[in-house]
Amino acid sequence: QVQLVESGGGAVQAGGSLRLSCAASGRTSSMSSKAWFRQAPGKEREFVASISWSGANTYYKDSVKGRFTISRDNAKNIVYLQMNSLLPEDTAVYYCAARSAGPSRYGYDYDHWGQGTTVTVSS
């Protein structure tokens, strides 16, 4: 089993920054790609960013490109999401996900999920 625990959420004003962390434990050696998804109130969960095992390949939702950066520290089994220039529409619960294959934009491709961390951006 793989356990994922997110942290770093909070309340910020528009234009501010937050860094989310996702710590993995358990059979992490079987997990290759990691991703961040988010779900805003009343909306479906959506892809935000994903990263390959090596970190060489990263993918982003168009609306976060240039503002968010996904990275990972495999020695610590942590994946980060640095979020800058936050907008009110970034308000959501952010989830970390992991899978054994390459990065994907689709939630159904991921085998393991964290419980989420809440980000609230006020205008």
Side-chain angles (χ1 to χ4, degrees):
Q1 275 287 21
V2 174
Q3 293 79 42
L4 303 174
V5 178
E6 302 95 335
S7 62
V12 295
Q13 290 189 328
S17 298
L18 283 174
R19 188 177 79 159
L20 305 184
S21 299
C22 172
S25 61
R27 297 185 63 181
T28 57
S29 60
S30 64
M31 292 297 106
S32 175
S33 303
K34 300 281 179 60
W36 288 95
F37 289 78
R38 68 187 182 187
Q39 186 167 19
K43 296 187 177 181
E44 293 187 352
R45 183 178 61 194
E46 63 178 7
F47 168 79
V48 176
S50 61
I51 188 168
S52 60
W53 183 88
S54 68
N57 298 305
T58 57
Y59 305 90
Y60 296 92
K61 175 181 173 63
D62 285 347
S63 64
V64 308
K65 286 180 181 178
R67 300 189 298 122
F68 291 10
T69 301
I70 188 171
S71 61
R72 64 191 298 166
D73 184 335
N74 288 338
K76 296 181 179 179
N77 287 323
I78 298 178
V79 175
Y80 302 99
L81 185 67
Q82 177 67 44
M83 305 187 296
N84 299 328
S85 302
L86 282 161
L87 303 169
E89 47 263 47
D90 295 319
T91 294
V93 178
Y94 283 72
Y95 297 92
C96 176
R99 69 189 298 244
S100 56
S104 169
R105 294 175 171 266
Y106 304 105
Y108 54 71
D109 282 336
Y110 288 84
D111 305 303
H112 302 279
W113 293 83
Q115 293 300 307
T117 186
T118 301
V119 172
T120 303
V121 184
S122 60
S123 57

